[in-house]
Amino acid sequence: MTVLAVLGHADQVHAQEAGPVSPRCSSPPPPDFEFWIGTWDIVNLQRQPAGDDPTWYTTGDATSEVRPVVGGCGVAEYWWGDLSYARLRGFSLRSFDAARAQWTAILFWPNRNQPGFGSLEGQFRHGRGEFFTSRTDEHGRTTLTRFTFSDIRPNALRWDAAASGDSGMSWRPSWIMEFTRRPPEALAPRPLWADSVPRCDFPELYEFDFALGSWTGTATIGAADAQPARLESHRIVGSCALEERLEIGDAFEAFEVRAFVPNEDGWVAYRLDSHRPVLQRLAGSVTGGRAELAGTQQTQDGLAVLVTEQWQWRGDAALRYELRESRDGGTTWTSLVGAELSRDAPTRQ
């Protein structure tokens, strides 16, 4: 599988052809999303929300930058542009679950001060990718939503969204994105988190500020000897979410996106790493300079494993991070990753 490398400073992304998947990905996924890596210009098309009007209307232009994370184990998308006269920012993250032979995607397209995550699951067949989610309203009516990748060519593709109220017997498309690959000579560095007007600015958003910026130090993986470590943490998607990448030595990387979700009155995160390259949901809270997020992951043999992440801020220039797991319901814990880090760059806003 061939991926595109991310070059340049952490706040400036360039896409360039690279070699095979990095050793940081212990279980490479199928190359289903290889076509999507790069920078794309988008034309948005929509139709009237009700009635039988078959006419599609151009409702704005956008840009999508898609890049591999965790050595190619995951695919992250950064989207910014106009839709129906509104300026939007969006983010998605995908990983492949080999045990179920399908892709899982989390979506983060926040309204003003209303961040929240959505998810879809699906797979590619015969060059077409279909991904589904469902929602049941207060009256018991279930609506299926389908996102489709089709007409895939080296420099163009089509994405569309459709909904069904009859268990998939019929579908009504509502949104089409026509992607055209931006040529290499037109690529330019861009801070992925830069926004002139933040979409989110409520107080809880700043609880994780102690971890923002660039950090270096040492880390251990299990009982192995300490290795050099680097942590990058910054805001994305109009300041509505935080993105974090931890690198340890040459063979380990963890990638995480997290946000304070008002509807859940707490922090929600999705992460994957070199040893567990499947999206995992964690949730928790921040108290002062200490944060803890926890979740449950099913192993391939059906065992429920508890996982916790902890951050401890030790002044403006020191941070401790630990990832632990329990296989007996929380009675005993094993440290998977432990890092002692010092700030080496100004905090990014």
Side-chain angles (χ1 to χ4, degrees), residues 114-130:
Q114 293 181 319
F117 291 94
S119 63
L120 300 100
E121 295 182 336
Q123 58 188 194
F124 279 84
R125 295 187 62 189
H126 309 298
R128 176 184 173 93
E130 293 187 337

Side-chain angles (χ1 to χ4, degrees), residues 45-116:
L45 303 170
Q46 291 183 295
R47 61 192 298 179
Q48 297 298 323
D52 297 321
D53 184 356
T55 305
W56 288 87
Y57 303 89
T58 300
T59 55
D61 298 328
T63 300
S64 177
E65 183 162 318
V66 183
R67 58 185 175 109
V69 295
V70 190
C73 277
V75 180
E77 174 199 20
Y78 303 82
W79 192 102
W80 62 94
D82 297 314
L83 183 67
S84 298
Y85 309 105
R87 189 72 175 170
L88 298 181
R89 297 278 298 194
F91 172 86
S92 68
L93 179 63
R94 290 163 169 78
S95 74
F96 186 74
D97 187 340
R100 296 187 296 158
Q102 67 179 9
W103 289 87
T104 299
I106 60 103
L107 310 176
F108 190 82
W109 298 72
N111 293 322
R112 171 71 175 165
N113 278 335
Q114 293 181 319

Side-chain angles (χ1 to χ4, degrees), residues 26-41:
S26 61
S27 302
D32 294 335
F33 277 106
E34 185 176 287
F35 70 90
W36 204 26
I37 304 299
T39 301
W40 301 84
D41 294 314

